[in-house]
Amino acid sequence: MIQWTGPTDRLPDKGAPQFDASGKIVLPGFVDSHTHAVFSRTRADEFEWRIQGTPYMDILARGGGILSTVKTVRETPTLRVQFPNRFLEFGTTTIEAKSGYGLNLETEIRILEAIRSVEKLEAVPTYLGAHALPPEFHDNRRKLAEFCDVFVEPGAFNTNEARRIFAATRSLGMGIKLHADEFESSGGAALAVEVGATSADHLGAIADADISRIAKSSVVATLLPATLFMLGHSHYAPARKLIESGAAVALATDFNPGTSPTLNMQFVLSLACTQMKMTPAEAIVAATINGACAVRREHRLGSIEAGKDADIAVYDLADYREIPYFAAVNFCVATLKRGELVWKQ
Ligand code: NIG
Ligand code: FE
């Protein structure tokens, strides 16, 4: 735990073990608050189909997309979070990870257990079943998931279906997240405000009226620019309008085998700055303390303050703005999770 912060010459206990980060940039570990990190096969085939002109939602409508990952995940006997050590290497100490590639009771549970069993990296589990809730979850007996998420989009679920799921969610004491207005404005952001969601994610097609609704609420607007970048879109979520209206904006990778095969938060910061005109400082806030708010861990994570977990990333750079500036290059040379050195170059 962080005991104290201040200038080196006033360090109270000089005898304690030291990690010298002089001349380097020290940040709180990134809180990547939106991933689908448990899967078993990539979808490089669909990546090529999209380049050749087939839209993402069309691939899903034909039984591919998310459903192709569901097929391979169901067939995989031992599921795990993909590349946990790579997250640490890029300065991420906490991720949120969703189920949703099982869509049956047995596999959804196996995915949530895989999220629970990850070591060193902290992983916050979200249930993304988005079908009728199976009976085992009605009393949330095993408390496997902290959040429930629904993909609200034409071709996936509509707001009425999502409302029914969230009514059950609330009675279980779980937090609510939504994939909202990713490609079309279909009421997802407004529903997030209505149901008191912790976060509304994507928002690539959010309507102006919903920007002010989000801004007046306590819903975190989680933006995922790597998804739109990897889908080859040139239109991004209106980060500036959201920030200027007073919304709390978080940034995350959306790491998944379909739309966003990157787990590099530094790259997400580069996209946030260049494509959504966030300043480097706004992007870092969005990727640390606001990400912590999006997983209800702001009391413990997301900033370097006495009393918080010592989740720290050290960059071999002279200016924090160089983190987004050096696009897609990793300058993270050391990562600590709860004070333990979990990555060192
Ligand atoms: O956030 N849009 C829905 N879910 C994911 C993609 C999942 C997949 O394609 O496997 C997303 O983009
Ligand atoms: Fe997602």
Side-chain angles (χ1 to χ4, degrees), residues 11-342:
L11 185 66
D13 178 11
K14 295 216 169 51
Q18 290 194 10
F19 183 95
D20 188 359
S22 316
K24 297 190 167 63
I25 298 295
V26 175
L27 286 190
F30 291 128
V31 181
D32 183 353
S33 61
H34 183 136
T35 83
H36 308 249
V38 178
F39 56 89
S40 43
R41 279 230 327 255
T42 70
R43 304 213 306 264
D45 49 357
E46 293 180 12
F47 175 67
E48 188 167 18
W49 301 340
R50 289 198 308 269
I51 292 165
Q52 292 163 339
T54 314
Y56 171 70
M57 291 305 278
D58 288 12
I59 297 172
L60 175 62
R62 288 179 210 163
I66 294 169
L67 294 174
S68 107
T69 298
V70 169
K71 184 170 185 300
T72 53
V73 163
R74 284 183 179 174
E75 288 163 1
T76 304
T78 308
L79 293 168
R80 53 177 70 91
V81 168
Q82 297 285 316
F83 317 119
N85 294 331
R86 301 271 179 166
F87 281 101
L88 299 169
E89 287 174 22
F90 284 107
T92 298
T93 45
T94 302
I95 64 168
E96 179 262 16
K98 301 172 198 298
S99 66
Y101 289 139
L103 304 186
N104 63 29
L105 178 59
E106 179 254 338
T107 319
E108 288 290 307
I109 287 178
R110 288 200 297 122
I111 297 170
L112 291 170
E113 285 172 342
I115 297 166
R116 287 270 173 204
S117 70
V118 73
E119 282 167 12
K120 293 187 180 164
L121 184 67
E122 180 169 344
V124 182
T126 292
Y127 172 59
L128 178 55
H131 279 160
L133 285 176
E136 276 77 358
F137 283 168
H138 274 301
D139 60 3
N140 199 16
R141 193 171 46 222
R142 296 183 57 190
K143 299 220 176 333
L144 271 176
E146 288 183 40
F147 290 94
C148 182
D149 193 337
V150 175
F151 183 16
V152 179
E153 192 79 20
F157 295 89
N158 65 33
T159 49
N160 285 330
E161 291 163 330
R163 240 184 229 106
R164 287 173 59 197
I165 294 168
F166 292 141
T169 304
R170 245 195 311 261
S171 68
L172 299 174
M174 293 162 84
I176 292 174
K177 288 177 168 287
L178 287 89
H179 282 66
D181 302 331
E182 180 171 359
F183 305 115
E184 290 176 48
S185 178
S186 70
L191 180 65
V193 175
E194 176 193 316
V195 299
T198 305
S199 71
D201 301 27
H202 283 292
L203 308 177
I206 187 174
D208 281 345
D210 292 334
I211 293 178
S212 25
R213 285 198 179 95
I214 293 254
K216 286 192 206 98
S217 76
S218 60
V219 178
V220 178
T222 301
L223 309 184
L224 310 164
T227 304
L228 293 165
F229 179 82
M230 292 307 294
L231 288 171
H233 292 211
S234 48
H235 178 82
Y236 288 81
R240 284 254 58 86
K241 274 190 186 168
L242 282 159
I243 292 171
E244 273 141 34
S245 315
V249 167
L251 287 168
T253 60
D254 195 18
F255 176 53
N256 76 75
T259 58
S260 185
T262 183
L263 49 77
N264 180 352
M265 282 292 277
Q266 299 170 49
F267 175 58
V268 170
L269 300 193
S270 299
L271 291 176
C273 295
T274 59
Q275 308 304 303
M276 301 196 294
K277 310 300 173 205
M278 291 172 71
T279 64
E282 286 170 339
I284 288 170
V285 165
T288 55
I289 187 66
N290 287 5
C293 291
V295 292
R296 300 200 294 200
R297 277 165 168 69
E298 64 277 11
H299 54 285
R300 183 160 68 71
L301 306 177
S303 57
I304 301 179
E305 287 178 85
K308 286 199 162 182
D309 285 7
D311 290 7
I312 285 166
V314 182
Y315 297 85
D316 194 9
L317 295 169
D319 183 321
Y320 71 91
R321 292 172 297 193
E322 291 168 349
I323 297 174
Y325 163 87
F326 280 113
V329 188
N330 187 18
F331 282 94
C332 177
V333 290
T335 307
L336 292 99
K337 180 66 184 171
R338 297 193 183 99
E340 186 200 337
L341 191 63
V342 287

